[in-house]
Amino acid sequence: MSLGFVRMGAGCLVMSVVGWMLVAAIPGWAQYATLPEGPNLEAVCGSCHDIEMVAIGRRSEERWGLTIDEMVGYGLRVSPGDRALILRYLATYLPAK
């Protein structure tokens, strides 16, 4: 194993630790580490990415709607009724600050 590869691995580890420290410092992170009871976002959103990406994303209702539309473009399959429930949930519990 080359020394450059070891240094690169150590650098990635340090960056990961620093990144998680920054995430932990975000105000309100602990409040949304687990989401309030609602539509099954773990199954809908968590099928493609970590649910924490949703939990730390604060947006207006309009921006959440655009985000859902973007995810549909990536292949998310959701009925209009479920989309409305998810949008209402996100706008209520994860609004823009």
Side-chain angles (χ1 to χ4, degrees):
M1 186 180 315
S2 75
L3 186 56
F5 183 75
V6 172
R7 285 184 184 150
M8 186 175 73
C12 289
L13 176 63
V14 169
M15 291 305 294
S16 295
V17 170
V18 170
W20 278 109
M21 288 172 63
L22 290 172
V23 168
I26 296 172
W29 170 260
Q31 180 182 0
Y32 292 108
T34 57
L35 296 172
E37 195 70 30
N40 191 359
L41 295 181
E42 290 285 341
V44 176
C45 305
S47 65
C48 292
H49 54 75
D50 291 334
I51 200 67
E52 286 81 12
M53 287 183 70
V54 177
I56 63 173
R58 310 283 242 142
R59 297 175 171 88
S60 66
E61 184 170 352
E62 178 183 0
R63 296 277 307 170
W64 276 122
L66 293 172
T67 300
I68 294 170
D69 292 343
E70 181 181 356
M71 296 303 111
V72 167
Y74 292 132
L76 172 66
R77 297 177 122 187
V78 62
S79 71
D82 286 343
R83 183 192 186 284
L85 283 173
I86 292 167
L87 179 58
R88 189 172 320 121
Y89 174 88
L90 294 171
T92 300
Y93 293 108
L94 300 170
K97 288 187 175 182

